[in-house]
Amino acid sequence: MQHKNIIINVGRQLGAGGHAIAKLLAEEFNCKLFDKEILNLAAKESGFSERFFEQNDEQKGFLKSLFHLHAPHVGDNNFYNSRFSQESLFQFQSDAIVKAADEGSCIFIGRCADYVLRDRDNVVNIFITANIEDRLKAVMERDECDEYTAMKILKTKESARASYYNYYTGKKWGVAESYDLCINSSLLGYEETEKIIAAFIKEKMKLV
């Protein structure tokens, strides 16, 4: 469909259907989809275990959790390496994002990809929100928990996401001015929301 590579960055509230909608977009635009897959790439590039990246995914202040890991998971050489810092973990992940973007059209979910790729002109930044009732329902179904627990999960994870994003980008997570398009998936559902986003992308990127 398109004649040039495109990069779609998807920010999302927990339970808003970000991954499901991104998957539909990946199919429509024939893009590779990177969600937690980027953690595997970062692990390969850095030499750290993927488990280490997973435990600190989209969290600022990962050094606290470092000391709960055993040496075999971190690696003696890396542990004492002077490059080992909060910023180096972010850099490893950023390098993996850049490498993936260089290889062709792709969609990144979260992980500050919009900031990492901010100097490129083939990028579209989307943020997906949803009504709190729908988000709670999604978390309750996914985690098989009650509404009270789901609300705690939402608050904890979104606070971590916001802190991580705000710290590294200098922007504000979830605020409209940080993105090209913000959309509420509760209004029309995932499939129709994807169609609206796709139409926006085609117009912005002048795709034929």
Side-chain angles (χ1 to χ4, degrees), residues 9 97 108-118 123 125 165:
N9 298 313
I97 289 171
F108 297 102
I109 299 179
R111 297 167 184 88
C112 300
D114 57 332
Y115 175 77
V116 174
L117 303 172
R118 63 192 180 282
V123 171
N125 300 317
Y165 183 88

